[in-house]
Amino acid sequence: MRLGRLGQELLLVSLGALVVSGLMNWPALADPAHTIPADLGDPLLQSWQVSWDAHALLTDPLHFWDSNTFYPERLTLAYSDALVGYTPVGLLGSGAAATLVHYNILFWLTFALGSVGAYALARQLGSRVPGALVAGLAFAYAPWKLGQAGHLHVLSSGGIPLALAMLARGYGYTLRGGYQPDRVRPGWIVAGWLVAAWQVMLGFSIGLPFAYVLLVACLVAVVWWLVKRPPLPKSLIFCTLGGGLVFAAVGAMMARPYLQVATQYPQAKRSVADLQLFSPPPWGFVTAPETSTFWGPATKSLGSTLTAPAEMALFPGLVLIVLALLGAGYSVWSGRQRAWLGVGVLVSVVLCMGTTVFGGRFTYLPLLALPGWDGLRTPGRLILWTTLLLGLLAAGFLTHVQDRLEARAPRPGSDLSWRALALLLPALLVLGEGANTLAHPSPEPPPAALANAASPVLVLPSDSWWDSRTMWWTTNGFPQVANGSSGFTPPSTDAIRKVAQSFPDRASVAHLRQAGIRTVILMPDSTYGTPWEHAAEKPVNGLGVTREVDGRAVIYQIGRG
């Protein structure tokens, strides 16, 4: 089968994106079965999520959301973004080592998809290749993304610009040509809505704002049609309705367990205090994460003033900002289009700041009235929209420069090699600003005792940090455990952790036994500085508990009393 010009370009760009992501994130591919990017907290939790999604789909799809963690609670997968869209990857092998491989591959692919998606959007809107490359690389490798390196659900944003590019192509729309009925492509409309639905299946942290952006875009399109009354092909109407219904159905299916959790535990909703904790100050936009090779050291003093650096260091990159500012004045986009892009940048920046501007009363807090928005606590993640819009402004400027350079050439093709190289330089500079010093630690392998223990099990130490490790350990067989880590902790888990701090003693054993816990596994090598530092030395006489040592684990059989 021969590829057309568009297919050839997409193939080359996709292959290039994979290579670039591999070079930028080489440690993730060097030893994928034994290391994980960033740290041993959220990445291990999310690696468990991908594996649980696949395990539940194969073994008990009717209880997909009732994971093996947070015993005895239900719908526990809905305590965090569930990454359901990655379930097919989780089907490729099982066990702790395979889970790490899944995660590292996804980590590699998210950057590649981000660059391809933003590139495709810029090209569809009318940018030429050099400008689209800047938009794509900036969206994928902006310095602020390094602060989110441990949050796969945030890194996985490439479906947003890709879906927008597909929809724009399907509707025959470009910034340079507007709506062109003869260029309507129904297949691309369907594909765009399907990709948008897949993006929402990765989680609501970035999927929910995306859904509202699509809703606003649809309303604007309806108003525009009512005013202009252009001809609409029937295929466009049918594909829009069908794709929109699929998107809505997927969103409703995903939202149902989260709404049930929010109803059962109102404390799962984010308060204004939560927003204040994660709302960045203005200098957050010129602060890069410490793991940024070039900008981390330069902005370290600013970063030390941020209360939540990972969520507040929002620097999109100096090269991108300069190109976008130039694009505000010189561009192939019209003055009105540039104005709207500029307004979008300003609005997204203000929203990123959460409660920092006027306490959020006139900016961010009104959004809490939108269904589902009160589940979001990190407004700074809206910086992805700022980055995307800055990329489009930059692409407009570079396309303008390329058009002018070619118009001045004395004859077609003459002396354009240096010009082409010069136009590629901004993309290389943008990519260079994304260089990183991310850690890729090796997690402690699962204890053999856990897979064979009588469940439900409690693994000690237990808190939000250690339980991410325990969740990953359970991917060897998925035993039921009382441990769990997420952005929300149910009261039952808090109670178990609190009483277990004195384990083993009469009160803790009685509480755990009443809660249904049958086995406690203590990991002495991990207890330094925790309440369980000397737990292995405590006697169990008279507690109705048996104790044995299995490798590096101490196993307590509590039974049912």
Side-chain angles (χ1 to χ4, degrees):
M1 182 180 66
R2 296 183 60 183
L3 293 174
R5 184 175 179 181
L6 174 63
Q8 292 175 356
E9 181 178 346
L10 289 177
L11 178 60
L12 288 174
V13 169
S14 298
L15 292 176
L18 291 173
V19 171
V20 170
S21 181
L23 293 174
M24 296 290 285
N25 302 294
W26 175 246
L29 302 180
D31 190 9
H34 300 97
T35 64
I36 198 163
D39 57 54
L40 300 178
D42 286 344
L44 287 179
L45 181 158
Q46 293 174 325
S47 70
W48 164 84
Q49 286 174 321
V50 176
S51 289
W52 170 262
D53 293 345
H55 171 78
L57 182 66
L58 291 176
T59 60
D60 193 4
L62 294 180
H63 293 89
F64 182 88
W65 295 94
D66 298 325
S67 82
N68 67 312
T69 61
F70 289 107
Y71 174 85
E73 299 294 325
R74 294 184 61 253
L75 301 176
T76 51
L77 186 62
Y79 289 178
S80 303
D81 282 340
L83 298 173
V84 177
Y86 286 148
T87 300
V89 176
L91 297 172
L92 304 175
S94 61
T99 299
L100 292 183
V101 174
H102 299 158
Y103 188 94
N104 281 294
I105 289 176
L106 289 171
F107 187 80
W108 165 52
L109 292 177
T110 55
F111 289 91
L113 181 60
S115 57
V116 170
Y119 173 92
L121 178 59
R123 286 288 279 154
Q124 172 58 33
L125 293 180
S127 169
R128 301 185 68 175
V129 170
L133 284 174
V134 165
L137 293 174
F139 188 78
Y141 300 102
W144 68 264
K145 294 195 78 172
L146 297 174
Q148 299 295 331
H151 300 144
L152 186 64
H153 58 302
V154 179
L155 296 179
S156 302
S157 56
I160 292 176
L162 183 61
L164 293 175
M166 289 177 166
L167 290 171
R169 187 167 186 81
Y171 290 116
Y173 179 79
T174 68
L175 286 179
R176 301 182 77 170
Y179 169 63
Q180 297 171 297
D182 58 315
R183 293 193 175 186
V184 169
R185 300 291 184 269
W188 284 104
I189 294 176
V190 173
W193 283 111
L194 291 178
V195 171
W198 172 79
Q199 178 68 62
V200 169
M201 291 177 70
L202 294 177
F204 286 115
S205 290
I206 60 173
L208 185 66
F210 176 45
Y212 280 115
V213 168
L214 286 177
L215 177 60
V216 171
C218 289
L219 293 176
V220 170
V222 169
V223 172
W224 173 83
W225 182 83
L226 290 174
V227 173
K228 299 290 187 178
R229 294 298 179 111
L232 295 180
K234 290 184 179 179
S235 58
L236 182 152
I237 298 174
F238 292 145
C239 290
T240 299
L241 292 176
L245 286 174
V246 169
F247 178 81
V250 169
M253 177 191 70
M254 289 291 298
R256 186 171 181 270
Y258 290 93
L259 292 175
Q260 289 179 284
V261 169
T263 300
Q264 183 177 1
Y265 298 112
Q267 61 268 38
K269 299 179 180 180
R270 307 307 183 186
S271 65
V272 175
D274 292 324
L275 293 174
Q276 292 172 338
L277 182 64
F278 290 100
S279 294
W283 58 90
F285 295 96
V286 293
T287 305
E290 290 186 355
T291 50
S292 171
T293 300
F294 299 108
W295 294 115
T299 62
K300 186 176 181 179
S301 59
L302 289 175
S304 65
T305 67
L306 303 178
T307 56
E311 303 292 352
M312 294 182 175
L314 304 178
F315 188 42
L318 179 62
V319 176
L320 177 65
I321 292 174
V322 170
L323 292 174
L325 288 174
L326 291 171
Y330 304 95
S331 179
V332 293
W333 316 138
S334 69
R336 178 177 296 180
Q337 291 166 345
R338 279 176 276 158
W340 279 114
L341 289 172
V343 168
V345 170
L346 292 176
V347 169
S348 62
V349 165
V350 170
L351 293 180
C352 279
M353 297 173 72
T355 59
T356 300
V357 180
F358 302 118
R361 292 189 300 274
F362 311 110
T363 56
Y364 193 88
L365 294 185
L367 297 179
L368 298 181
L370 298 175
W373 205 280
D374 54 7
L376 309 181
R377 66 174 179 175
T378 47
R381 292 174 182 175
L382 293 173
I383 190 66
L384 73 88
W385 293 98
T386 309
T387 307
L388 185 60
L389 294 171
L390 289 174
L392 293 178
L393 282 170
F397 168 71
L398 289 173
T399 301
H400 168 76
V401 171
Q402 185 174 2
D403 287 349
R404 294 290 297 272
L405 287 175
E406 292 185 359
R408 291 179 179 179
R411 61 182 183 278
S414 65
D415 195 26
L416 290 180
S417 58
W418 70 270
R419 302 171 193 263
L421 290 175
L423 287 168
L424 291 177
L425 181 60
L428 295 176
L429 292 175
V430 166
L431 184 62
E433 287 190 284
N436 67 81
T437 58
L438 283 176
H440 291 260
S442 297
E444 182 183 5
L450 180 57
N452 302 317
S455 62
V457 180
L458 173 65
V459 179
L460 299 175
S462 175
D463 59 26
S464 293
W465 175 264
W466 288 110
D467 282 2
S468 294
R469 177 196 63 173
T470 299
M471 295 169 79
W472 171 65
W473 280 350
T474 69
T475 57
N476 283 347
F478 292 98
Q480 201 168 29
V481 294
N483 305 76
S485 177
S486 75
F488 159 71
T489 303
S492 61
T493 301
D494 278 333
I496 287 175
R497 285 176 180 168
K498 183 176 181 180
V499 75
Q501 289 184 4
S502 61
F503 183 87
D505 65 0
R506 193 171 301 279
S508 62
V509 169
H511 182 94
L512 295 176
R513 186 175 286 150
Q514 184 178 15
I517 305 300
R518 299 180 63 188
T519 307
V520 175
I521 296 180
L522 176 69
M523 305 299 296
D525 292 345
S526 302
T527 58
Y528 180 76
T530 74
W532 301 279
E533 186 171 354
H534 302 290
E537 305 165 10
K538 293 182 179 180
V540 294
N541 298 335
L543 298 179
V545 172
T546 64
R547 178 176 59 189
E548 64 176 311
V549 178
D550 185 353
R552 65 184 198 276
V554 180
I555 307 171
Y556 299 84
Q557 300 289 348
I558 292 181
R560 300 189 184 277

